[in-house]
Amino acid sequence: MKLTTLKMAVLGALMLPTMSVIAEEAATAAVEAPKSDFSVSGNVGIYSDYIFRGYTQTENKPALQGGFDVSHSSGLYAGVWASNVDWTVQGGSMRDNSVEIDLYAGFAGEFGKSGLGYDVGVLQFLYPGKDTPGAGLEADATEVYVALSYDFGPFAATLKNYTVVSSEAWAFNEMDGENYTDLSIDVPVGDKVTLSAHVGHQTIGDPAYQDADYTDWKLNAEYAINDTFSIGAFYTDTDMDKPSWTVANTGTYLGDATGGAYLSAGF
């Protein structure tokens, strides 16, 4: 062994314990580094139809949807979500609008260690654009909601109620205090497939629409391609009064039975 090589070997032997200590301290620091109390998530999807509470928002045309959520370890959260729509223009309440933007914030948690979850919050529907002159009724709507959920093992169930707190909503009048109640059940099948069923009931306070209250239901099957992408298919129907829920300008019955599919991503 040459002298230079010998020196390098000795130096290496002397430095090895020091380097090991440094590496160990770095690893410990990484493990012990405090995690942020905030988390951010997002979602995006392409759907064959935008169905909202049983009826089409795009007159059975495709929709691109997506949003972002920020949550805190305390249970507080806020988010924004958007989709293209055309019911506002086709229905005559607006002359220039093509998007729905939803803003929401709430608080979610669990009652002790009971496994019974809760969620309370406020939801604002916005339809930016120009109103139709003389239409008189706002498409924007504000709701508060409260939900209870429980995982039974073979399936999970959520009961959620939305109450309108704005006087006008979705171009209906006298909507303050009206409710939409939703029961949803999710059944996991293996690690990749989730089957879901939903039934909901909407009340409409506008005296111009005496028979507008309705019930809707939906069946959904989703397959997780990987940790990011999922594909799904759904079938939905309502018992809507056809004259009350037919768009006069186009003759489209909004509450007709509809089947569709989607591709979504979560990140």
Side-chain angles (χ1 to χ4, degrees):
M1 179 181 291
K2 294 182 179 179
L3 182 59
T4 303
T5 306
L6 178 60
K7 287 182 178 180
M8 292 299 295
V10 171
L11 287 173
L14 291 173
M15 293 181 63
L16 183 59
T18 304
M19 295 302 294
S20 298
V21 170
I22 294 174
E24 183 177 352
E25 289 178 349
T28 302
V31 171
E32 295 178 352
K35 294 182 179 179
S36 173
D37 289 331
F38 291 91
S39 61
V40 180
S41 61
N43 62 86
V44 64
I46 180 73
Y47 293 76
S48 59
D49 196 350
Y50 172 19
I51 303 295
F52 172 71
R53 299 181 183 176
Y55 63 98
T56 178
Q57 304 288 285
T58 53
E59 291 202 311
N60 306 121
K61 300 181 185 69
L64 178 63
Q65 306 175 345
F68 291 94
D69 295 276
V70 178
S71 60
H72 188 264
S73 58
S74 65
L76 290 170
Y77 65 87
V80 58
W81 181 89
S83 174
N84 60 291
V85 296
D86 67 7
W87 72 267
T88 52
V89 173
Q90 296 296 339
S93 61
M94 300 185 73
R95 66 178 182 180
D96 180 19
N97 166 257
S98 61
V99 65
E100 170 190 330
I101 300 174
D102 299 345
L103 304 175
Y104 50 89
F107 184 80
E110 181 182 337
F111 292 105
K113 297 182 179 180
S114 65
L116 180 64
Y118 61 85
D119 184 9
V120 295
V122 60
L123 171 60
Q124 176 68 54
F125 299 83
L126 298 173
Y127 301 90
K130 297 180 181 178
D131 293 338
T132 299
L137 295 176
E138 283 288 338
D140 295 353
T142 308
E143 293 183 319
V144 294
Y145 57 84
V146 58
L148 295 173
S149 59
Y150 192 82
D151 189 342
F152 292 89
F155 67 94
T158 300
L159 179 63
K160 194 168 188 176
N161 187 79
Y162 301 81
T163 301
V164 179
V165 292
S166 53
S167 59
E168 298 173 3
W170 307 296
F172 288 107
N173 196 15
E174 297 187 24
M175 286 294 288
D176 189 5
E178 298 303 313
N179 294 279
Y180 181 76
T181 305
D182 166 26
L183 174 63
S184 298
I185 295 175
D186 296 320
V187 182
V189 181
D191 297 329
K192 295 287 188 179
V193 177
T194 301
L195 304 178
S196 303
H198 142 89
V199 61
H201 182 74
Q202 177 74 62
T203 62
I204 303 293
D206 194 328
Y209 298 87
Q210 294 292 331
D211 300 314
D213 291 6
Y214 70 92
T215 298
D216 72 283
W217 59 271
K218 180 180 179 181
L219 298 175
N220 194 93
E222 183 170 288
Y223 176 79
I225 301 172
N226 50 39
D227 291 340
T228 300
F229 293 97
S230 297
I231 57 172
F234 62 86
Y235 182 83
T236 182
D237 199 1
T238 75
D239 66 353
M240 284 179 169
D241 176 63
K242 194 167 185 178
S244 298
W245 289 94
T246 296
V247 180
N249 295 346
T250 63
T252 302
Y253 172 43
L254 300 178
D256 208 358
T258 303
Y262 61 90
L263 170 65
S264 64
F267 49 91

